Amino acid sequence: MTRQIAFLTLLIVSTLYAAWRGGTPERIGAAALLGAACLSVGLVDPFGDRFHHIEIAILLVDFALLSVFIWLSLQSTRFWPLWVAAMLGAEVTVHLMRILMPAIVPRAYVDALAVWSWVAQTMLIGATFRHRSRIKRRGVDRPWKS
C-alpha cells in the first residue's frame, strides 16, 4: 500500500505543478496522465484475478494515452511528450507480451506497467520546470508549432 500512496502523492504533485506553472502542453499532458491513472484504477476488477491475464481495459486506456502523447509530440514545440510517448509504447508492448507469454508472473506484469507511470510523472515535473526556465530566460515559450 505504501507504493500506491507514494505514486498518488507524485501524481498529485506533478499534476498540480503542471497546472499551476506549466504551459498548455504540460497542462494537457498532466490532465491526460491524471485521467488515465484514474480510469486505470476504476477499470480494474477489484474482486477478480487482477493482472493474471491481460488487462484489456487498461490496455485501451494506455493506447488512448499513447495517442494523446503522439499528438502532443507532433503539435507542440516540446520534446518531452515524445519521450513519454516512447514510454507508453513500451507499456503497450508489455500488454501485448502478456498475450504472447501468458505464463508471466502477475507481479512482473504489474511492475512492468507501473514503472513507466513513475517516470512519466517525474518527466512532467522536469518539463514544467524547464518551461519556467525558458520563460525566465527568453520571456516566452511558444507552445505550438506553426
Side-chain angles (χ1 to χ4, degrees):
M1 190 55 113
T2 304
R3 187 170 86 171
Q4 289 87 352
I5 292 170
F7 179 73
L8 180 60
T9 302
L10 179 62
L11 178 66
I12 291 168
V13 166
S14 65
T15 301
L16 290 176
Y17 182 52
W20 177 49
R21 304 293 284 170
T24 306
E26 289 77 24
R27 290 180 182 143
I28 292 170
L33 289 168
L34 177 64
C38 292
L39 276 173
S40 294
V41 168
L43 292 174
V44 172
D45 181 10
F47 303 109
D49 289 332
R50 296 186 310 174
F51 299 100
H52 286 270
H53 52 80
I54 185 167
E55 295 290 340
I56 298 293
I58 295 176
L59 169 61
L60 294 175
V61 169
D62 288 343
F63 189 74
L65 188 60
L66 171 61
S67 300
V68 168
F69 276 94
I70 289 173
W71 173 82
L72 200 53
S73 68
L74 292 172
Q75 299 301 317
S76 76
T77 58
R78 313 292 202 261
F79 191 69
W80 71 271
L82 184 61
W83 284 94
V84 174
M87 288 184 281
L88 290 164
E91 198 167 317
V92 167
T93 302
V94 168
H95 287 291
L96 299 177
M97 288 298 104
R98 181 74 173 149
I99 294 170
L100 297 174
M101 303 173 69
I104 292 174
V105 177
R107 183 64 186 192
Y109 180 38
V110 171
D111 289 345
L113 293 176
V115 68
W116 301 113
S117 300
W118 286 82
V119 177
Q121 297 305 325
T122 305
M123 287 189 73
L124 178 60
I125 291 170
T128 303
F129 179 80
R130 289 187 38 83
H131 165 69
R132 297 309 307 170
S133 297
R134 285 189 298 271
I135 286 179
K136 192 179 278 187
R137 194 171 58 249
R138 295 185 239 166
V140 69
D141 188 22
R142 203 168 47 97
W144 306 112
K145 296 175 183 171
S146 307

